[in-house]
Amino acid sequence: VAAAMAAERVLAMATCTAPVNIAVIKYWGKRDTDLILPINSSLSVTLHQDQLKTTTTAAASRDFTEDRLWLNGKEADVGHPRVQACLREVRRLARKRRGGNEDAAALSLSYKIHIASENNFPTAAGLASSAAGYACLVSALARLYGVEEELSEVARRGSGSACRSMFGGFVQWQRGERPDGTDSVALQVAPETHWPELRVLVLVVSGEKKPVGSTTGMQTSVETSPLLKHRAEVVVPERLAQMMRHIRERDFEGFGQLAMRDSNQFHATCLDTFPPIFYLTDLSRHIIALAHRYNAHHGLTKVAYTFDAGPNAVIFTLADTVAEFVEVVRRSFPPATNGDQFVRGLPVGSAVLSQELVAAVVTEPVPGAVQYILHTKPGPGPQLVDDPSQHLLGADGLP
């Protein structure tokens, strides 16, 4: 039995999935770039993993000669400082948990580690891939080493927004006050079941890498934008409280208006940065105008846009509006070739648009501008994958 146990320990493996999140009160700017501490609190919605997720397998073995990392099938730099920070923190928690006594059954912390990670969506295209990626890395490592502590703080060391992907539903990342960052953590405001009618449409306009990465972009903003300072100190604290109330009351009118205003202000701080940063494109602005025309036609906020550091639009709406608005988008940006592949994710019903609506809302169509629409909804936090056939690494510890 002991020999069998020893053979069993040759390779330890854990696989997790983690979600993307979309901020409705934006995070932009660090007060500590090393610990990744933000200049303001933020609030996000976690998206469902059936449509957008990262899967990560972490394996440890005494037979591994070095740490290795594969991203979407290609070997990547495991020495990346942020990957290393996450590894170091999880191992530190594991050591602390064991109280220094090496439990024979516990995985040796000196073993080298192999990590494989895959997204089911384009990386770095403004679809919050780093958030899902680091949340997933930390979840898999924590599982491997038997750690269950406050993991959002560890995920934050990989990518700030990753701490929010450690929970499902509606999540706040608290700015925190302490210089060591121990109070800069994520908390669930409400679970994904809280607002069952809420839906999310991601309008993918480009799968391209963004012109200015978030990391460099936000630090230039911190250094040069007086508007950003005002936003962080004066505007966000009030908006955060309002947004939590709108979510609690499931008030879409309030939620939607505030999400749009906050997105616009975030992009205004990008323009106020020197030299200015442009994440929105002409097409993004076209989508913004379309949303406003659509809401004006209905006389209330039926759709709300938000844009992160990239041109893809994320539209929040309620289930009863999805079919009509998707048809409006289809008419405004007629798909070039992929008519059947234009809407992905959750099913979307068909809708007949009135002449009045078309006349008022669908002004000059831009064919082929939107690659596709992804229909999704709020979802849960990281999940453990039990099925061994789902591991991204084989018994040899290789992809």
Side-chain angles (χ1 to χ4, degrees):
V1 178
M5 290 273 296
E8 202 56 22
R9 298 301 316 165
V10 171
L11 184 72
M13 203 179 292
T15 300
C16 289
T17 64
V20 165
N21 73 77
I22 299 292
V24 288
I25 301 292
K26 304 290 189 192
Y27 149 57
W28 193 250
K30 301 176 180 71
R31 64 180 197 273
D32 184 315
T33 51
D34 232 21
L35 294 174
I36 310 196
L37 302 178
I39 59 171
N40 62 267
S41 298
S42 54
L43 204 152
S44 61
V45 181
T46 297
L47 303 186
H48 204 287
Q49 293 173 59
D50 284 355
Q51 283 74 47
L52 295 170
K53 72 174 175 207
T54 297
T55 304
T56 301
T57 298
S61 169
R62 60 173 173 220
D63 300 333
F64 294 166
T65 54
E66 55 180 352
D67 291 339
R68 295 178 74 181
L69 170 68
W70 291 266
L71 297 180
N72 293 313
K74 290 196 188 71
E75 187 142 13
D77 175 23
V78 75
H80 191 292
R82 291 184 174 195
V83 173
Q84 288 298 315
C86 292
L87 253 169
R88 196 169 53 244
E89 284 302 295
V90 173
R91 283 172 170 156
R92 185 182 64 77
L93 289 173
R95 206 169 283 120
K96 188 170 127 192
R97 197 184 174 93
R98 295 170 191 185
N101 53 356
E102 268 295 311
D103 175 358
L107 181 63
S108 169
L109 293 171
S110 60
Y111 286 174
K112 298 295 183 195
I113 197 155
H114 287 187
I115 300 157
S117 191
E118 262 174 24
N119 296 337
N120 66 351
F121 59 93
T123 315
L127 282 180
S129 58
S130 70
Y134 281 106
C136 205
L137 173 66
V138 168
S139 299
L141 290 174
R143 183 70 198 189
L144 191 64
Y145 289 117
V147 172
E148 287 158 26
E149 268 75 4
E150 173 47 72
L151 295 174
S152 80
E153 202 192 324
V154 183
R156 190 199 74 226
R157 301 290 302 271
S159 175
S161 54
C163 72
R164 299 189 309 244
S165 277
M166 296 304 288
F167 296 94
F170 302 85
V171 184
Q172 181 191 358
W173 173 13
Q174 291 186 308
R175 174 189 185 275
E177 297 299 327
R178 298 183 202 137
D180 69 356
T182 48
D183 58 348
S184 187
V185 296
L187 301 168
Q188 190 181 65
V189 173
E192 63 274 17
T193 50
H194 170 71
W195 200 343
E197 303 78 26
L198 194 64
R199 293 290 180 277
V200 180
L201 297 167
V202 183
L203 275 53
V204 177
V205 305
S206 141
E208 303 301 294
K209 221 169 157 58
K210 43 201 173 193
V212 182
S214 309
T215 305
T216 40
M218 69 174 72
Q219 281 330 97
T220 311
S221 298
V222 168
E223 288 154 20
T224 62
S225 169
L227 178 57
L228 182 63
K229 183 174 158 58
H230 173 74
R231 165 178 168 74
E233 292 171 6
V234 181
V235 182
V236 168
E238 187 183 340
R239 282 189 174 173
L240 200 77
Q242 288 174 317
M243 191 59 99
M244 301 216 316
R245 191 178 73 245
H246 297 320
I247 289 167
R248 212 169 26 246
E249 296 171 0
R250 294 185 281 267
D251 168 8
F252 188 80
E253 184 72 29
F255 172 88
Q257 287 225 10
L258 193 51
M260 291 188 283
R261 286 178 179 272
D262 205 69
S263 175
N264 293 343
Q265 187 179 78
F266 155 53
H267 289 280
T269 66
C270 291
L271 277 186
D272 192 46
T273 299
F274 200 84
I277 304 169
F278 310 100
Y279 286 122
L280 301 180
T281 60
D282 280 343
L283 180 51
S284 313
R285 288 184 276 272
H286 203 95
I287 293 167
I288 289 171
L290 177 68
H292 284 285
R293 286 196 305 271
Y294 182 79
N295 288 337
H297 174 78
H298 282 291
L300 73 166
T301 303
K302 284 177 75 81
V303 298
Y305 54 79
T306 186
F307 293 81
D308 284 333
N312 293 326
V314 175
I315 307 284
F316 287 97
T317 188
L318 297 175
D320 61 9
T321 306
V322 169
E324 184 180 79
F325 189 69
V326 164
E327 188 53 32
V328 165
V329 173
R330 193 194 284 277
R331 297 274 193 105
S332 305
F333 308 103
T337 45
N338 65 338
D340 52 333
Q341 281 287 298
F342 188 59
V343 183
R344 306 179 190 179
L346 297 171
V348 174
S350 55
V352 177
L353 306 183
S354 71
Q355 289 314 125
E356 299 83 46
L357 185 122
V358 173
V361 177
V362 181
T363 49
E364 333 97 89
V366 186
V370 172
Q371 289 183 15
Y372 62 93
I373 302 175
L374 181 69
H375 181 206
T376 183
K377 63 181 183 180
Q383 307 282 305
L384 175 70
V385 178
D386 277 323
D387 175 2
S389 72
Q390 300 300 112
H391 290 319
L392 302 180
L393 295 170
D396 57 358
L398 299 174

